Amino acid sequence: MINIVILGSGNVATLLGTSLSKAGYNNIIQVWSRKLEHAKALANLLHTQFTDDIDQVVDSADLYILSISDDAIPFVVSKMKPVSGIIAHTSGSTSIDVFHNKFSNYGVFYPFQTFSIGKEIDFKNVPILLEGSDSNSLSVLESVALSISDKVQECNSDQRKVLHIAAVFASNFTNHLYTISQKLLEDNGLDFDLIRPLILETALKVQEIMPAEAQTGPAARNDLSIINSHLKQLESEPELSAIYRLLSNQITTFTDKNRS
Amino acid sequence: MINIVILGSGNVATLLGTSLSKAGYNNIIQVWSRKLEHAKALANLLHTQFTDDIDQVVDSADLYILSISDDAIPFVVSKMKPVSGIIAHTSGSTSIDVFHNKFSNYGVFYPFQTFSIGKEIDFKNVPILLEGSDSNSLSVLESVALSISDKVQECNSDQRKVLHIAAVFASNFTNHLYTISQKLLEDNGLDFDLIRPLILETALKVQEIMPAEAQTGPAARNDLSIINSHLKQLESEPELSAIYRLLSNQITTFTDKNRS
């Protein structure tokens, strides 16, 4: 049983805190958040203590999970008192070195998933990527991660950065393409509901096969008559045309390469 | 009970044929395909007759479902003998007018989903979009569609074209973004399996909320320090940089607009 302090109260802090709490053999002894009411809300969920004063963070915990926005990490790290326990952030984009010179035992505990407030998530399937300043820190982080997820692996800061970029393409940009389709449908009196099954099936397909094999559509077939008719239809939307052109060209080139 | 001929033997023809056959109260009396072995394979699945000779297509059916590639539709239509039954194609991109001057009763029967050979699909959740040359043709198409899907609605050729463009963005382009993430991961010794849960969750989110509300990530936060660090990392990949820049700019503009 190790004692944990959670610093932060957002989506990740909340889902991580509740999952660790359910996992049972971890003991969350305190929640800190910049806003007292946020700290209190999460602490109540976890039946534990809370504070909004960084100086009041207990110094006796085994593990400090720092789950706050990327740009706030260096500031909070600079304000914290040094602790002998392990401190780990949950960020995809912040190097492990942010803890260097201030703490002795530290690491990264990065759950690789998109989280929304109010949406339950089964952590079992969420990859947790770990990095540690030393083998003991890594091993403590590993045992905590394994208590909630089946997919735990080591990953250095360079790889984590690539993972984050890949996530921007596969999740943030993908969601923007959904938004574009929503706009196209609504502008033409059609309901977004019509396209929801297609969106889901597209994501389900690549759970089994690789996306390069799953590619279909006019660009993969290099069907210029359809591509040009779509571009004509999008004439009044220069930004959509630009995206259509760029992605279609790349799909065609890529499919040619794969097939030759 | 209506008699149906299926023309075509690809993914859509096969999934449609087997679903109609399971639905029970439709009678598939013949399969035609350009290749005899393909016609035979699907006919065997459906326990029915087959031919590869367009002149041998029976002229007594109530409904002819033409499910072949877009560019082959005009040619097959020109070769067919006129029939008194209803003929409908299953294409997103071909106008209903392709049947004009040749047939009297015709329409479109467009299942709006992505299909792969060997992957079972529950047609109940697949929207089927219908268009008819006249109210009787439309009503026959509707009763057939309702036998396999809960999501049947009318949709004219202009709307269907927009739907197809929306599908290119939400499915074909999305899949290409998955491919990019696969390449980024593999180039850095990481397994595509790591990102599969994120891809699925991104699609699941918009089953409940609208994608514009679900948008997260550096571009939605206008987090220039992360965006620039990602662009620096992608420097050696001009095409990926171009996509990253274009989509990020559009997400930032769009999020600003939505929030102001």
Side-chain angles (χ1 to χ4, degrees):
Chain A
M1 186 98 147
I2 67 167
N3 290 327
I4 299 178
V5 169
I6 293 185
L7 301 122
S9 56
N11 290 343
V12 179
T14 302
L15 287 161
L16 213 46
T18 49
S19 296
L20 288 169
S21 175
K22 272 186 215 154
Y25 65 87
N26 298 300
N27 188 29
I28 298 169
I29 56 172
Q30 192 184 36
V31 172
W32 169 87
S33 174
R34 205 165 40 87
K35 290 197 177 164
L36 192 66
E37 59 191 318
H38 293 173
K40 185 179 176 185
L42 179 53
N44 284 351
L45 267 179
L46 306 176
H47 310 290
T48 192
Q49 306 296 312
F50 60 93
T51 179
D52 65 346
D53 181 352
I54 196 76
D55 292 328
Q56 297 300 313
V57 170
V58 297
D59 57 9
S60 60
D62 303 301
L63 176 60
Y64 297 79
I65 297 180
L66 181 61
S67 190
I68 60 179
S69 66
D70 288 331
D71 45 350
I73 294 176
F75 181 73
V76 171
V77 166
S78 75
K79 291 289 168 198
M80 277 180 78
K81 288 184 293 188
V83 288
S84 60
I86 299 158
I87 181 162
H89 71 65
T90 60
S91 160
S93 316
T94 302
S95 164
I96 189 174
D97 298 333
V98 72
F99 298 122
H100 193 56
N101 291 334
K102 172 87 185 228
F103 296 97
S104 319
N105 308 300
Y106 51 88
V108 179
F109 188 102
Y110 176 43
F112 190 51
Q113 183 53 288
T114 171
F115 300 103
S116 313
I117 283 180
K119 188 158 188 321
E120 286 267 336
I121 199 134
D122 183 0
F123 252 95
K124 282 277 164 241
N125 288 316
V126 176
I128 298 182
L129 301 157
L130 304 178
E131 191 172 3
S133 58
D134 57 288
S135 62
N136 179 59
S137 299
L138 188 62
S139 128
V140 170
L141 292 174
E142 195 176 13
S143 77
V144 172
L146 285 169
S147 76
I148 55 173
S149 166
D150 290 339
K151 298 183 175 172
V152 177
Q153 75 178 63
E154 220 181 320
C155 172
N156 64 37
S157 289
D158 287 344
Q159 288 177 314
R160 199 170 60 251
K161 186 170 181 186
V162 170
L163 262 181
H164 191 215
I165 297 177
V168 168
F169 279 92
S171 179
N172 302 151
F173 290 170
T174 283
N175 188 75
H176 185 60
L177 296 181
Y178 300 161
T179 304
I180 290 173
S181 75
Q182 175 191 340
K183 183 185 175 327
L184 286 168
L185 295 180
E186 287 174 354
D187 286 353
N188 290 276
L190 293 160
D191 199 305
F192 180 68
D193 220 25
L194 274 175
I195 207 165
R196 283 186 158 127
L198 177 65
I199 285 173
L200 187 55
E201 180 66 17
T202 304
L204 282 170
K205 248 188 209 180
V206 298
Q207 302 302 306
E208 291 163 31
I209 61 175
M210 295 307 250
E213 301 163 47
Q215 190 66 56
T216 60
R221 293 193 306 272
N222 200 13
D223 185 336
L224 294 176
S225 98
I226 301 247
I227 291 172
N228 289 328
S229 113
H230 286 177
L231 283 171
K232 197 164 162 36
Q233 178 102 6
L234 293 172
E235 244 168 17
S236 62
E237 309 257 18
E239 292 200 324
L240 298 194
S241 305
I243 293 174
Y244 192 103
R245 214 179 293 268
L246 186 58
L247 289 172
S248 290
N249 284 343
Q250 218 189 73
I251 290 172
T252 304
T253 316
F254 195 84
T255 313
D256 277 356
K257 253 187 238 163
N258 267 23
R259 286 180 187 161
S260 65
Chain B
M1 185 98 146
I2 68 167
N3 291 326
I4 300 178
V5 169
I6 293 185
L7 301 123
S9 56
N11 290 345
V12 179
T14 302
L15 287 161
L16 212 47
T18 50
S19 296
L20 288 169
S21 175
K22 272 186 215 154
Y25 66 87
N26 298 300
N27 188 28
I28 299 169
I29 57 173
Q30 192 183 36
V31 172
W32 168 88
S33 174
R34 207 166 39 91
K35 291 198 175 162
L36 191 67
E37 58 191 318
H38 293 175
K40 185 180 176 183
L42 179 53
N44 285 350
L45 267 180
L46 306 176
H47 310 288
T48 191
Q49 307 295 311
F50 60 93
T51 180
D52 65 345
D53 181 352
I54 198 78
D55 291 328
Q56 297 300 313
V57 171
V58 297
D59 58 8
S60 59
D62 304 300
L63 174 61
Y64 297 79
I65 297 179
L66 181 60
S67 190
I68 60 178
S69 65
D70 287 332
D71 46 351
I73 294 175
F75 181 74
V76 171
V77 165
S78 75
K79 291 290 169 196
M80 278 181 78
K81 289 182 294 190
V83 289
S84 60
I86 299 157
I87 181 162
H89 71 65
T90 60
S91 159
S93 317
T94 302
S95 165
I96 190 174
D97 296 335
V98 72
F99 298 120
H100 193 57
N101 289 334
K102 172 86 185 228
F103 296 97
S104 319
N105 308 300
Y106 52 88
V108 178
F109 188 102
Y110 176 44
F112 189 52
Q113 183 52 287
T114 171
F115 300 103
S116 314
I117 283 180
K119 188 159 189 320
E120 286 268 334
I121 199 134
D122 183 1
F123 253 94
K124 283 279 162 239
N125 288 316
V126 177
I128 299 181
L129 300 157
L130 304 177
E131 191 172 4
S133 60
D134 58 287
S135 62
N136 179 58
S137 299
L138 187 63
S139 125
V140 170
L141 292 175
E142 194 176 13
S143 77
V144 172
L146 284 170
S147 76
I148 54 172
S149 167
D150 290 339
K151 298 184 175 172
V152 177
Q153 76 179 63
E154 221 182 319
C155 172
N156 64 37
S157 289
D158 288 343
Q159 288 177 313
R160 200 171 58 252
K161 186 170 181 185
V162 169
L163 262 182
H164 191 214
I165 297 176
V168 168
F169 279 91
S171 179
N172 303 151
F173 290 170
T174 283
N175 188 75
H176 184 60
L177 296 181
Y178 300 161
T179 305
I180 290 172
S181 74
Q182 175 191 338
K183 183 185 175 325
L184 286 169
L185 295 180
E186 288 174 353
D187 286 353
N188 289 276
L190 293 160
D191 200 305
F192 181 67
D193 221 25
L194 274 176
I195 207 165
R196 283 186 157 124
L198 176 65
I199 285 173
L200 187 55
E201 180 67 16
T202 304
L204 281 170
K205 247 187 210 183
V206 299
Q207 302 301 307
E208 291 164 32
I209 61 175
M210 295 307 251
E213 300 163 49
Q215 190 65 56
T216 59
R221 294 194 305 272
N222 200 12
D223 184 335
L224 294 177
S225 97
I226 302 246
I227 291 172
N228 289 330
S229 112
H230 286 177
L231 284 171
K232 195 162 162 37
Q233 178 103 5
L234 294 172
E235 245 169 16
S236 62
E237 308 259 17
E239 292 201 324
L240 299 194
S241 305
I243 293 174
Y244 191 103
R245 215 180 293 271
L246 186 58
L247 289 171
S248 290
N249 283 343
Q250 218 189 73
I251 291 172
T252 304
T253 316
F254 196 86
T255 314
D256 277 355
K257 252 188 235 162
N258 267 22
R259 287 181 186 160
S260 66

